[in-house]
């Protein structure tokens, strides 16, 4: 089963079957394209409670995002909310897609209490699916409330521990990116992998995924380092250098984008050449000017989503909202299209696990993905190379 989404002007199909969006006559008052290419701007309605609502379909869907609180987080939340509006606008403007859902936007404030309160309210107001929230602790708490109300939830966190039966994560997880990068290195004939990971919850999750996936791919990850501060980087490189000189390390994982430039500079200062040791990053590297602006990282590789989808909506987004979209905007766009799919939204019961976890998966704005029975997602990732001019794709996205 596959999800069709807009790519340029043509739909994309994954697998032998597609979700039926349920084409048919558009309801009165539906938006139509303002010109030959772009649908008209959809204005959200307002409920009595002040929540923003967009769409006119019969199935109620709640979208939980941080719209207040920490300004940086709220900025991401607003961009994702705009992405959902953009997706619903596309649905409303397309005569071949039935409008099956209505999206109600809830502000979590970026807190656990805000997320659980939003889910409770959404359940009381008749929601059949919860989209969001964004942070891992919010997803864990909101997922528990959703489950107690018999509601599935599609969260946007990359914290794999937040997933569970009925609580799905629409995000790139450490296991996925480590598997993709290690598989690529194995195919390139690399033999010895090492890695340095920060002593944070997410850094340790990356380290665990690195160890597990390295062994599964056929490597022996004996040189695995942890650090609490970037000042420890020199000591780690000093420990790794003899192993590099002996040819026991030819690939070095530096997934933390903040410390990666420091590690790369120290490797270069130690005389380690890019041909001898390839530096490997993570999807978090994407779009960071410090990564592309560090000469010692030129030639490094990292797994990441195909950015075709983000590029495809960027012009329309910029025109409508006056600024470029955040990279996570495409996740909210995909979630909105997914929620509206007839085979999911009008199923009995809607969004049931058998359909949600179909092994052939779906195709979203960021490419192919599938939900596993444990709620975690497998995402198709490309391999990209760092260049001063920006990322260069060296291998197409694959699961």
């Amino acid at each position: 089963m596959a999800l069709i989404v807009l790519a340029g002007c043509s739909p994309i199909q994954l697998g032998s079957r597609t979700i039926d969006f349920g084409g048919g006559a558009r309801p009165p008052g539906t938006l139509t394209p303002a010109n030959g290419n772009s649908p008209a701007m959809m204005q959200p309605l307002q409920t009595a409670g002040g929540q923003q609502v967009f769409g006119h379909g019969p199935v109620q869907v709640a979208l939980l995002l941080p719209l207040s609180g920490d300004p940086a987080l709220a900025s991401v939340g607003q961009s994702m909310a705009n992405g959902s509006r953009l997706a619903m606008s596309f649905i409303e403007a397309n005569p071949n897609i039935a409008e099956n859902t209505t999206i109600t936007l809830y502000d979590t404030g970026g807190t656990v209490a805000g997320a659980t309160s939003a889910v409770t309210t959404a359940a009381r107001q008749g929601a059949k699916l919860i989209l969001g929230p964004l942070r891992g602790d919010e997803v864990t708490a909101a997922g528990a409330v959703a489950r107690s109300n018999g509601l599935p939830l599609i969260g946007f966190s990359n914290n794999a521990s937040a997933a569970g039966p009925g609580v799905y994560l629409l995000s790139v997880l450490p296991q996925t990116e480590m598997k993709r990068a290690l598989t690529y290195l194995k195919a390139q004939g690399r033999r010895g992998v090492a890695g340095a990971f920060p002593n944070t919850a997410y850094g340790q999750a990356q380290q665990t995924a690195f160890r597990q996936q390295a062994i599964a791919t056929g490597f022996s990850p004996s040189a695995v380092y942890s650090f609490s501060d970037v000042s420890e980087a020199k000591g780690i490189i000093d420990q790794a250098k003899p192993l590099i000189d002996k040819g026991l390390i030819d690939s070095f994982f530096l997934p933390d984008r903040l410390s990666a430039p420091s590690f790369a500079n120290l490797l270069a200062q130690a005389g380690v050449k890019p041909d001898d040791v390839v530096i490997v990053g993570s999807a978090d590297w994407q779009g960071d000017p410090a990564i592309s602006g560090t000469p010692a990282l030129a030639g490094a590789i990292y797994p990441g989503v195909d950015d075709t989808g983000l590029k495809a909506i960027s012009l329309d987004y910029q025109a409508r909202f006056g600024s470029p979209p955040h990279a996570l905007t495409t996740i909210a766009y995909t979630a909105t299209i997914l929620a509206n799919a007839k085979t999911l939204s009008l199923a009995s019961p809607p969004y049931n696990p058998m359909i949600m976890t179909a092994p052939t998966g779906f195709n979203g704005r960021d490419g192919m993905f599938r939900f596993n029975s444990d709620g975690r997602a497998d995402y198709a990732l490309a391999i990209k190379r760092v260049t001063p001019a920006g990322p260069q794709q060296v291998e197409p996205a694959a699961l």
Side-chain angles (χ1 to χ4, degrees):
M1 176 173 50
L3 172 66
I4 297 177
V5 295
L6 185 68
C9 295
S10 303
I12 302 173
Q13 178 167 326
L14 169 63
S16 59
R17 291 174 290 166
T18 61
I19 284 183
D20 179 9
F21 278 113
R26 305 300 300 142
T30 296
L31 291 177
T32 55
N35 53 50
N37 298 311
S38 300
M41 178 63 175
M42 180 180 60
Q43 298 297 329
L45 305 176
Q46 297 290 326
T47 67
Q51 290 124 344
Q52 295 183 29
V53 178
F54 32 102
H56 306 85
V59 180
Q60 298 295 317
V61 174
L63 175 61
L64 278 57
L65 290 169
L67 304 175
S68 62
D70 177 73
L73 195 63
S75 176
V76 176
Q78 186 60 62
S79 185
M80 296 181 74
N82 291 343
S84 180
R85 290 190 183 94
L86 202 64
M88 188 59 76
S89 181
F90 161 64
I91 292 168
E92 291 192 327
N94 194 317
N96 297 316
I97 302 177
E99 191 174 357
N100 300 316
T101 53
T102 293
I103 304 288
T104 300
L105 179 62
Y106 296 82
D107 178 16
T108 68
T111 68
V112 168
T116 55
S117 175
V119 174
T120 302
T121 302
R124 186 173 64 248
Q125 294 178 346
K128 301 300 181 184
L129 173 69
I130 309 296
L131 302 179
L134 183 56
R135 296 190 342 181
D137 55 352
E138 293 179 80
V139 173
T140 298
V145 177
R147 190 181 291 112
S148 69
N149 284 276
L151 298 176
L153 180 146
I154 301 176
F156 303 140
S157 169
N158 58 5
N159 184 342
S161 65
V167 178
Y168 309 96
L169 295 182
L170 183 59
S171 56
V172 177
L173 302 177
Q175 293 90 334
T176 303
E177 53 186 346
M178 292 299 172
K179 178 181 178 181
R180 182 68 177 95
L182 286 159
T183 300
Y184 173 79
L185 293 172
K186 194 70 172 180
Q188 296 297 307
R190 296 285 169 169
R191 300 177 303 280
V193 296
F197 304 88
N199 279 321
T200 61
Y202 190 65
Q204 294 307 300
Q206 290 177 314
Q207 182 180 143
T208 298
F210 171 73
R211 290 182 183 276
Q212 292 174 342
Q213 296 302 323
I215 292 171
T217 311
F219 291 103
S220 297
S222 56
V224 182
Y225 308 97
S226 298
F227 61 94
S228 298
D229 187 86
V230 71
S231 62
E232 301 168 38
K234 187 178 187 309
I236 291 174
I237 298 305
D238 288 343
Q239 292 179 59
K241 184 60 164 58
L243 300 176
I244 294 172
D245 293 341
K246 294 176 182 178
L248 299 177
I249 296 176
D250 59 14
S251 308
F252 210 115
F253 279 70
L254 300 172
D256 178 53
R257 64 181 174 84
L258 296 179
S259 59
S262 296
F263 276 97
N265 287 330
L266 288 167
L267 282 168
Q269 292 168 17
V272 178
K273 298 178 180 179
D275 291 341
D276 297 328
V277 175
V278 60
I279 295 175
V280 186
S282 65
D284 194 38
W285 278 23
Q286 180 69 30
D288 190 330
I291 296 294
S292 59
T294 301
L297 284 173
I301 64 165
Y302 64 95
V305 297
D306 189 322
D307 57 4
T308 301
L310 183 61
K311 290 178 179 178
I313 69 169
S314 290
L315 289 178
D316 200 9
Y317 185 101
Q318 178 84 37
R320 294 175 186 224
F321 304 112
S323 62
H326 187 275
L328 293 181
T329 302
T330 49
I331 291 180
Y333 189 107
T334 293
T336 302
I337 296 290
L338 180 69
N340 189 75
K342 178 181 178 181
T343 310
L344 293 173
S345 59
L346 302 185
S348 183
Y351 311 105
N352 68 75
M354 183 175 295
I355 303 175
M356 291 289 289
T357 59
T360 42
F362 311 98
N363 200 4
R365 263 297 177 201
D366 293 320
M368 298 179 290
F369 67 95
R370 58 176 170 244
F371 294 125
N372 298 310
S373 59
D374 62 2
R376 299 179 182 185
D378 295 325
Y379 238 106
L381 299 178
I383 297 296
K384 302 180 181 182
R385 178 181 291 116
V386 176
T387 74
Q392 175 189 65
Q393 185 165 299
V394 296
E395 195 168 271
L399 283 169

